[in-house]
Structure formats: C-alpha cells, structure tokens
Amino acid sequence: CARPSSSKPVDLNTHITSELSKLAATYKSKNDTWRSVGYERAIAAIRNYSKEITSREEALAIPGIGGRLADKIAEILESGRLRKVAEVCEGEEAETLRLFLGVWGAGPSTAQAWYLQDFRTLDDLRTKATLTRHQQIGLKHYDDINSRIPRSEVAEIEEHVREATLSLVRGAEVLVCGSYRRGKPTCGDVDVLITHPDGQSHELIFRPLLVRLRESGFLTDDLVTQEDNGNQKKYLGVCRLPGEGRKHRRLDVIVVPYQERATALMYFTGSAHFNRSMRLLATKKGMSLSEHSLRAGIVRQGGEKLSDGYMLDTPTEESIFAHLGLEYRPPEERDH
Ligand code: DCP
Ligand code: MG
Ligand code: MN
C-alpha cells in the first residue's frame, strides 16, 4: 500500500505471507481470480501490520482478515506450514499450469485450455498445440526467458542499448527501470527508458534504434511494437549480447517525451503493486496518475469522469510524491 517511507513496516510475518502467496499464485494460474484476489488482499493486510502475529485472535483483529483466514494463520503458527498448500499447489495439474504459464504470451486461460486438451509437456505444445506467434517465440526461448538475469548482465545490456542510442542521437538519456532500479539481485527482464532533455529529439530514436539493434543481431525476436501510447512508444522483444554462451533475454524499451519522464520513470520502475496503490491514492485525492502525467481537480461521479482537471508539473519523482502528500520513497522501497 502507498505510504510514507518513514512508516514502512518491517515485514515480520513472511512465514505467513509466503505460504499464502503460494495459494494466491496457484489460484491465479487456475484462473480462479476470486480466490487469488482474496489471498492477495489478505497478504497486503498482513504486510501492513507492523507486528509479528502470534495468535489466531490477533490475526482476526486485523482489518480484512476473517475467520477462515485466521484459522489458516493459526495453522501456520502451529506447524510452520499449511496443508492446503500441498493440496492445491502440488500435483499434476498445478505443476503443468506453472510449466505452461512460463510460455511468454500464455495466460491462465490458455494454460488451462492446453491442460484440458491433455497436453502435459513443452514437447506436447511444440508438436500438437496451436500457438500464437508470441507463444512460438516464448516456447523457442523457454529456458532462457525463464532464467533470472544477474544485475551485472542487465548493466551490460543497458550499456549496449545506450551506445546504440547515443550513436543515433547525442545527449539522449538511457536508464534501466523495473526490478533492476528497485535494487533486485536478479531480474526477470530488462526495462529500458529512453528520453531526450531537448524535449524533441526523442521522436528521432524509436524506429532507427530498433533497426540498428536488429541489424547488429542484438534483437533476435520482436514481440510487440506499440507506437501509439499517447506520445510514448513501447517495444517488447528478445535480445542477446554478442559473444559466446550468452542467453536470450526479454527486453522492454519505452521512449518518452522529456515532459513525461518522471511519471514514466515512476511507472516503469514499479512495482506493479506499488503503481496500483499510487493510482488508487491519487484517485482518492481527486487526482489521476498515469505513466503520462499527474492530473488534479478531477471530478468523478459514480465512476464517470465529469471533469478532466489540469496537469500538474512533475519534473521529478520527488515532485509526484509531494503532490500526493507523501514522503519520498526510493525505488528500493517500492516493492509493495
Ligand atoms: N507495470 C505495471 N503493471 C503491469 C506491468 C508492469 O505497472 N501490469 C510496470 C511496473 C513494473 C514495470 O512496469 O515494475 C516493469 O514491468 P516488469 O514486468 O518488467 O516487472 P519488474 O521489472 O518489476 O519485475 P521483473 O524482474 O519480473 O521484470
Ligand atoms: Mg522487468
Ligand atoms: Mn518488463
């Protein structure tokens, strides 16, 4: 939940939330949104609780935790684990769905459909399933895409993209966001934000950069090239550094106008959960936050926007926190 850094609670209940997270993830993979969202809310409530939970009664007193969840917490407190995790998260169906969800471009309903068609292995998918173009790429690079990227390699990829960008347009700014900027030891992909301080030259970067990186063999597969997200452009693909023994890595690039750099930076740094909290908080304050801008004076009536309000000046991330009445939180503290 969005809150000032000074009051950020230390998570003393990871033994509880880690068990509940397994349930939330498995229900999500089974397309049981109702249950997975229920567990995710409970996890958020427990994370916001600043003390170690020591009894069923204490759990029950936390807003958002009901009787059945308190029972589960009590079981974890007594035995260190939850029998329901074994029941729900282990076994052929759950394991196959996890395997299939690792195919880029496959969501819970696709994974489930494949399971119902009696596919059980990646080879089954390769030989028998009807795959979208994205899923074919996801399957081709399955092992590489599903292995974590060390920070040092993310930095090499950043440097590679920076050199290519600067050779096209001098003075461009290139920065890796996502889990890397949040300080994670390894990353799932590389999220590169590009902008230009002159406010205009960013428009010259997107296509030529992709052409250059494709020609050099660095980009190996294109997933999505989206040129129409307002003034921002977004590319999703697969890349590989030159040299022997390199893995294929997922690469996301956004090119944004300088005016939108702080809101785009904050969005692209995440986490996704943090972004949802910040947007929710903005909405509660009659504002609206997106990767493009922060607006104030929004008038809503029953979910409908009556007034679009006006744009606030957001030259830095600090200014966004300030407009929202929050103390600044550095990227390392934006996981939730
Ligand atoms: N993002 C978001 N909502 C989503 C997906 C992404 O707000 N549904 C934002 C927040 C993410 C950022 O984009 O932090 C980058 O997305 P990634 O999927 O690359 O996520 P991370 O970089 O945070 O983690 P990972 O290490 O898995 O890449
Ligand atoms: Mg990422
Ligand atoms: Mn990404």
Side-chain angles (χ1 to χ4, degrees), residues 189-191 250 252 268:
D189 69 356
V190 183
D191 304 294
R250 276 272 303 105
D252 292 344
F268 215 30

Side-chain angles (χ1 to χ4, degrees), residues 140-180:
K140 182 169 60 166
H141 299 306
Y142 189 91
D143 290 336
D144 281 2
I145 287 182
N146 284 291
S147 61
R148 308 285 304 173
I149 315 172
R151 286 184 72 78
S152 58
E153 189 179 340
V154 175
E156 282 183 83
I157 292 172
E158 174 181 38
E159 202 41 48
H160 194 93
V161 175
R162 178 177 293 122
E163 268 174 33
T165 308
L166 291 179
S167 73
L168 289 165
V169 181
R170 276 166 47 188
E173 291 177 6
V174 178
L175 186 69
V176 178
C177 305
S179 49
Y180 180 80

Side-chain angles (χ1 to χ4, degrees), residues 12-296:
L12 298 167
N13 296 296
T14 48
H15 52 302
I16 298 172
T17 49
S18 71
E19 287 291 286
L20 299 179
S21 297
K22 292 178 200 163
L23 287 177
T26 301
Y27 282 126
K28 194 172 182 187
S29 78
K30 293 190 171 175
N31 224 358
D32 189 340
T33 312
W34 188 77
R35 282 199 174 80
S36 83
V37 167
Y39 281 109
E40 270 162 18
R41 290 220 178 100
I43 291 163
I46 295 167
R47 281 198 181 120
N48 267 328
Y49 188 69
S50 50
K51 284 181 292 181
E52 186 180 343
I53 301 171
T54 56
S55 69
R56 185 182 183 281
E57 292 66 47
E58 189 178 356
L60 200 54
I62 300 172
I65 305 288
R68 271 182 299 177
L69 226 110
D71 288 341
K72 292 196 177 66
I73 292 172
E75 188 189 328
I76 297 170
L77 292 178
E78 273 166 35
S79 67
R81 51 190 285 273
L82 204 52
R83 275 162 303 160
K84 198 170 178 73
V85 167
E87 194 184 299
V88 174
C89 310
E90 289 157 25
E92 191 189 38
E93 182 181 0
E95 271 150 36
T96 309
L97 291 178
R98 264 200 294 279
L99 178 76
F100 289 172
L101 278 175
V103 177
W104 202 90
S109 39
T110 306
Q112 196 136 49
W114 285 337
Y115 185 79
L116 292 175
Q117 291 171 79
D118 286 331
F119 303 150
R120 294 292 179 271
T121 63
L122 296 181
D123 230 39
D124 288 341
L125 299 185
R126 238 168 244 131
T127 53
K128 296 179 226 160
T130 312
L131 302 170
T132 65
R133 197 180 62 82
H134 288 167
Q135 291 158 359
Q136 288 171 23
I137 296 168
L139 200 52
K140 182 169 60 166
H141 299 306
Y142 189 91
D143 290 336
D144 281 2
I145 287 182
N146 284 291
S147 61
R148 308 285 304 173
I149 315 172
R151 286 184 72 78
S152 58
E153 189 179 340
V154 175
E156 282 183 83
I157 292 172
E158 174 181 38
E159 202 41 48
H160 194 93
V161 175
R162 178 177 293 122
E163 268 174 33
T165 308
L166 291 179
S167 73
L168 289 165
V169 181
R170 276 166 47 188
E173 291 177 6
V174 178
L175 186 69
V176 178
C177 305
S179 49
Y180 180 80
R181 187 161 178 255
R182 298 201 310 281
K184 299 289 144 202
T186 63
C187 304
D189 69 356
V190 183
D191 304 294
V192 182
L193 181 148
I194 303 176
T195 187
H196 198 291
D198 75 6
Q200 286 163 21
S201 300
H202 67 279
E203 287 175 17
L204 309 173
I205 294 173
F206 192 68
R207 273 168 177 261
L209 177 64
L210 296 182
V211 168
R212 174 156 304 194
L213 292 175
R214 253 178 229 128
E215 278 171 355
S216 73
F218 176 71
L219 292 179
T220 61
D221 302 85
D222 300 330
L223 293 162
V224 179
T225 308
Q226 189 201 11
E227 303 212 18
D228 55 357
N229 178 18
N231 295 317
Q232 301 188 8
K233 294 182 169 63
K234 183 168 198 159
Y235 171 83
L236 316 185
V238 180
C239 71
R240 188 170 58 168
L241 285 164
E244 284 291 293
R246 293 295 199 166
K247 283 187 159 69
H248 288 85
R249 303 300 197 182
R250 276 272 303 105
L251 174 71
D252 292 344
V253 178
I254 57 171
V255 178
V256 311
Y258 204 62
Q259 203 197 0
E260 299 182 10
R261 72 195 178 283
T263 44
L265 178 65
M266 180 132 114
Y267 165 79
F268 215 30
T269 298
S271 68
H273 189 282
F274 170 84
N275 288 351
R276 280 195 292 276
S277 313
M278 292 296 273
R279 284 176 185 208
L280 199 67
L281 180 79
T283 306
K284 280 185 188 153
K285 298 199 163 197
M287 299 162 109
S288 131
L289 176 65
S290 75
E291 65 268 42
H292 299 287
S293 64
L294 177 64
R295 306 184 71 86

